[in-house]
């Protein structure tokens, strides 16, 4: 036994906490945590548009037809090989008379040219957001500055183009092949015929910019007819949009002429005490339980979504429409031309930011946990039912505009903002209530702001960021993509404290699994505690490992057996 203890004492295989354990396995080695640039994508290229024709009234000579457009959103498709970018403007107030575009690069193809998108889709108004379908790699939706919602199927034109050449239809991973004609391949083909649907102006449509589009799983739609998507499972996803007019609209993706149902973000304004309709500056919609691929989602609340506002508050919402209520909504709109009543989906108001909330993102591993960032430069971590933030992360001064959770690291989150900085926070490596970035880098050349961030769910080693001109793709090292031992326990410890508090139950925390989350978990339990029949006030226990010996050196020596277990 003595020999075994001496061997353990000499070993550096394990450390006391998660971060030192990761270091022993090489995951915290600088090379392992590398962030390497892969692509700098921009359609501002002399030959990026077919025919060299300008559409902004400028002189001919080719190039991206609207020099003043900027990337406003990014989205990876289901295969992970294609990246869609919406182009619009953030400096327009009122009605928009500037066109927009949606560009798609297929980064798997051998003919990738950063200056020439494989697909260019022209729109009559600036696009402000974009989202690929969760399972259909060829289906993409976008929202415009004028309140329009659009859906494209990129395989439609591809099928027509390749049929004449005898090439199997469907494109590569949902993106059309470079087969000439309107698709244009590396010459940036326009895909006008791929437009599946576009919303019409009505009393029920968005009246102000669409700030977010997404796909939300509705369990009630399971087993409905496949429709245009050719698969029953995909029929369970509904397209949802949120706008700065406060409306959250649900769309049948096979017919987006009019919304299938509508909600309005109405909640009490604590400053005035009056019911107020809050414009949605950002939103995140639940995709349900994702057990396929690299992500297993737990604690799913069907129909749930979160919305941030320009005034700062963050809302936890629930969509509760059904087939019957959706049919009634559309019939009333069709018969009268007047929007039916839109009820508030707000279930809880969370403390927000000082200023606008710019991004909200739900942890893909545990939907009890979500995060926001805003104009005050703070990144805040929340749990589902607690009104206050559990963790506040700070970096350099200045607003934050984008945030996203890692698809493979439950406790890793990234955010970007003023000056092009991108910060990564590893909750397993930090303690206390105020955490600092574990990794950070500049994602631009000229100090322009990072407006969008997207981890690649299918290929987690890739991260996309968008600034005022370029969309950049970064390759992340294994230390930033490999889940650490016990990492899920950090998130579970935070969320589990809230569950025990809501039920009025005692709470035990295994700090030897997640020491970094100890203080946050106990504070959350006390804050959210609700008295019950079995317990009137909070009652918590702490589980820790203790090694006793005559001297500190001997105690450290004894501890090595547990470290090796």
């Amino acid at each position: 036994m003595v020999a075994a203890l001496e061997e353990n004492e000499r070993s550096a295989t394990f450390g006391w906490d998660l971060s030192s354990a990761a270091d022993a396995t090489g995951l915290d080695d600088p090379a392992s945590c590398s962030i390497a640039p892969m692509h700098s994508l921009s359609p501002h290229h002399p030959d990026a548009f077919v025919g060299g024709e300008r559409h902004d009234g400028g002189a001919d000579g080719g190039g991206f037809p609207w020099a003043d457009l900027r990337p406003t959103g990014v989205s990876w498709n289901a295969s992970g090989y294609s990246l869609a970018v919406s182009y619009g403007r953030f400096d327009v107030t009122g009605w928009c008379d500037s066109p927009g575009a949606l560009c798609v690069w297929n980064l798997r193809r051998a003919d990738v040219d950063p200056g020439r998108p494989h697909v260019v889709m022209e729109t009559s108004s600036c696009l402000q957001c974009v989202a690929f379908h969760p399972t259909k790699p060829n289906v993409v939706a976008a929202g415009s500055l004028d309140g329009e919602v659009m859906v494209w199927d990129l395989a439609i034109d591809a099928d027509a183009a390749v049929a004449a050449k005898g090439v199997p239809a469907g494109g590569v991973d949902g993106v059309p092949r470079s087969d000439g004609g309107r698709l244009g391949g590396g010459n940036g083909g326009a895909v006008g015929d791929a437009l599946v649907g576009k919303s019409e102006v009505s009393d029920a449509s968005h009246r102000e910019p669409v700030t977010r589009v997404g796909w939300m799983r509705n369990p009630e739609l399971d087993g409905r007819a496949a429709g245009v998507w050719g698969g029953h499972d995909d029929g369970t996803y509904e397209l949802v949009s949120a706008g700065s007019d406060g409306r959250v609209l649900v769309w049948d993706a096979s017919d987006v002429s009019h919304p299938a149902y509508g909600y309005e973000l109405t909640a009490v304004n604590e400053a005035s005490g009056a019911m107020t309709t809050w414009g949605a500056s950002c939103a995140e919609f639940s995709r349900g339980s994702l057990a396929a691929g690299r992500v297993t989602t737990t604690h799913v609340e069907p129909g749930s979504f979160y919305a941030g506002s320009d005034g700062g508050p963050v809302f936890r919402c629930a969509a509760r429409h059904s087939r019957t209520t959706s049919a009634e909504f559309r019939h009333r709109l069709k018969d009268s031309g007047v929007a039916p009543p839109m009820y508030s989906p707000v279930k809880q108001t969370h403390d927000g930011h000082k200023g606008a909330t710019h991004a909200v993102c739900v942890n893909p591993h545990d939907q009890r946990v979500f995060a926001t960032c805003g104009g005050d430069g703070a990144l805040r971590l929340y749990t589902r039912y607690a009104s206050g933030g559990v963790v506040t992360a700070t970096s350099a001064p200045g607003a934050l505009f984008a945030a996203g959770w890692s698809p493979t690291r439950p406790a890793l989150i990234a955010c970007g903002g003023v000056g092009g900085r991108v910060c990564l926070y590893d909750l397993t490596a930090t303690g206390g209530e105020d955490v600092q970035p574990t990794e950070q880098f500049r994602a631009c050349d000229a100090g322009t702001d990072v407006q969008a961030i997207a981890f690649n769910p299918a290929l987690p080693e890739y991260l996309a960021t968008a600034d005022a001109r370029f969309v950049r793709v970064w390759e992340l090292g294994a230390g930033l993509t490999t889940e650490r031992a016990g990492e899920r326990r950090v998130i579970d410890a935070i969320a589990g404290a809230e569950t025990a508090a809501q039920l009025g139950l005692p709470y035990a925390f295994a700090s030897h699994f997640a020491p970094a989350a100890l203080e946050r978990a106990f504070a959350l339990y006390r804050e959210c505690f609700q008295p019950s029949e079995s317990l009137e006030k909070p009652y918590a226990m702490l589980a820790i490992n203790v090694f006793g010996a005559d001297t500190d050196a001997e105690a450290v020596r004894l501890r090595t057996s547990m470290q090796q277990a």
Side-chain angles (χ1 to χ4, degrees):
M1 183 181 70
V2 173
L5 286 173
E6 292 176 347
E7 181 181 357
N8 291 344
E9 188 175 14
R10 293 191 298 269
S11 173
T13 303
F14 299 99
W16 170 245
D17 56 24
L18 294 176
S19 59
S20 58
D23 182 62
T25 58
L27 293 180
D28 281 339
D29 181 85
S32 178
C33 295
S34 62
I35 303 170
M38 296 294 293
H39 300 284
S40 293
L41 310 174
S42 176
H44 297 77
H45 185 283
D47 301 318
F49 202 77
V50 172
E53 181 183 356
R54 293 178 62 95
H55 294 267
D56 60 354
D60 290 340
F64 188 56
W66 315 286
D68 56 351
L69 295 188
R70 301 292 181 263
T72 55
V74 293
S75 179
W76 294 96
N77 76 341
S79 70
Y81 294 120
S82 295
L83 182 65
V85 185
S86 57
Y87 285 88
R89 295 173 61 180
F90 293 112
D91 59 348
V92 176
T93 58
W95 192 260
C96 177
D97 58 2
S98 175
L102 194 147
C103 299
V104 180
W105 281 266
N106 185 344
L107 302 180
R108 186 188 187 189
R109 285 170 43 164
D111 64 344
V112 174
D113 184 335
R116 299 179 180 179
H118 293 103
V119 174
V120 176
M121 290 169 275
E122 179 182 358
T123 58
S124 59
S125 177
C126 290
L127 295 184
Q128 302 303 101
C129 50
V130 60
F132 265 115
H133 191 281
T135 61
K136 286 290 185 180
N138 52 286
V139 176
V140 61
S144 80
L145 196 62
D146 285 344
E148 300 167 312
V149 174
M150 289 157 275
V151 180
W152 293 269
D153 186 344
L154 304 184
I156 291 179
D157 269 5
D159 292 347
V162 300
K165 294 175 177 263
V167 181
V172 177
D173 300 308
V175 175
R177 293 181 175 85
S178 175
D179 287 311
R182 300 193 63 197
L183 298 181
N187 291 323
V191 188
D193 294 340
L195 186 65
V196 174
K198 178 180 178 180
S199 63
E200 300 177 2
V201 177
S202 73
D203 192 51
S205 59
H206 287 292
R207 295 165 293 185
E208 294 184 24
V210 177
T211 55
R212 176 70 173 175
V213 291
W215 302 86
M216 185 167 64
R217 198 175 188 93
N218 186 344
E220 185 167 324
L221 301 181
D222 284 338
R224 77 177 183 182
V228 300
W229 308 124
H232 291 279
D233 289 340
D234 297 322
T236 65
Y237 285 102
E238 293 178 309
L239 178 62
V240 190
S241 61
S244 56
D245 54 3
R247 288 184 171 181
V248 178
L249 303 180
V250 182
W251 310 82
D252 181 345
S254 63
D255 180 11
V256 295
S257 58
H258 299 286
Y261 201 77
Y263 297 93
E264 203 162 62
L265 293 173
T266 304
V268 175
N269 187 327
E270 293 186 2
S272 64
M275 292 297 292
T276 303
T277 298
W278 298 85
S281 56
C282 56
E284 177 81 352
F285 305 103
S286 172
R287 293 183 178 182
S289 180
L290 302 176
R294 298 173 180 264
V295 180
T296 300
T297 308
T298 62
H299 301 94
V300 176
E301 193 174 44
S304 66
F305 65 94
Y306 295 87
S309 67
D310 288 328
V314 180
F315 304 106
R316 179 176 65 86
C317 306
R320 291 293 182 262
H321 58 280
S322 63
R323 294 186 186 184
T324 301
T325 55
S326 294
E328 292 175 352
F329 185 94
R330 299 197 74 164
H331 286 156
R332 291 181 63 177
L333 176 61
K334 181 179 179 180
D335 293 342
S336 66
V338 178
M342 296 187 186
Y343 303 103
S344 176
V346 175
K347 298 300 179 183
Q348 183 173 351
T349 300
H350 297 266
D351 299 337
H353 295 262
K354 297 177 181 178
T357 301
H358 290 145
V360 56
C361 53
V362 179
N363 191 304
H365 307 270
D366 190 332
Q367 293 193 0
R368 294 175 297 177
V369 178
F370 69 99
T372 66
C373 67
D376 56 3
L379 175 71
R380 290 198 173 93
L381 182 68
Y382 299 81
T383 54
R384 185 178 287 168
Y385 300 111
S387 59
V390 181
V391 178
T392 298
T394 58
S395 57
L400 295 175
F401 299 111
W405 290 95
S406 166
T408 55
R409 293 278 318 272
L412 183 69
I413 186 170
C415 64
V418 168
R421 74 184 189 280
V422 174
C423 300
L424 282 75
Y425 296 87
D426 184 350
L427 301 179
T428 68
T430 55
E433 295 183 357
D434 188 35
V435 300
Q436 298 297 319
T438 50
E439 300 287 342
Q440 52 186 320
F441 63 98
R442 174 154 293 189
C444 63
D445 296 327
T448 54
D449 301 341
V450 171
Q451 296 286 352
I453 283 179
F455 282 95
N456 189 326
L459 302 173
E461 61 270 27
Y462 298 118
L463 172 72
T465 64
D467 59 66
R469 184 175 177 85
F470 290 95
V471 172
R472 303 174 195 271
V473 178
W474 309 84
E475 185 175 19
L476 306 178
L480 299 175
T481 60
T482 304
E483 182 175 344
R484 314 294 176 91
E487 182 170 350
R488 291 176 185 267
R489 296 191 186 105
V490 175
I491 299 300
D492 185 65
I494 296 172
E498 179 189 76
T499 302
Q502 290 290 325
L503 297 175
L505 298 174
Y507 176 61
F509 183 81
S511 66
H512 52 299
F513 286 141
L518 170 61
E519 295 180 14
R520 307 170 212 158
F522 268 43
L524 178 63
Y525 175 68
R526 296 187 182 101
E527 175 191 345
C528 298
F529 184 83
Q530 298 292 326
S532 66
E533 294 182 359
S534 59
L535 202 61
E536 293 183 357
K537 59 182 180 180
Y539 183 83
M541 294 185 295
L542 175 64
I544 59 175
N545 289 313
V546 177
F547 298 87
D550 293 337
T551 64
D552 289 345
E554 180 64 16
V556 170
R557 183 171 175 239
L558 292 174
R559 186 188 63 178
T560 59
S561 293
M562 184 274 296
Q563 293 174 300
Q564 298 280 23

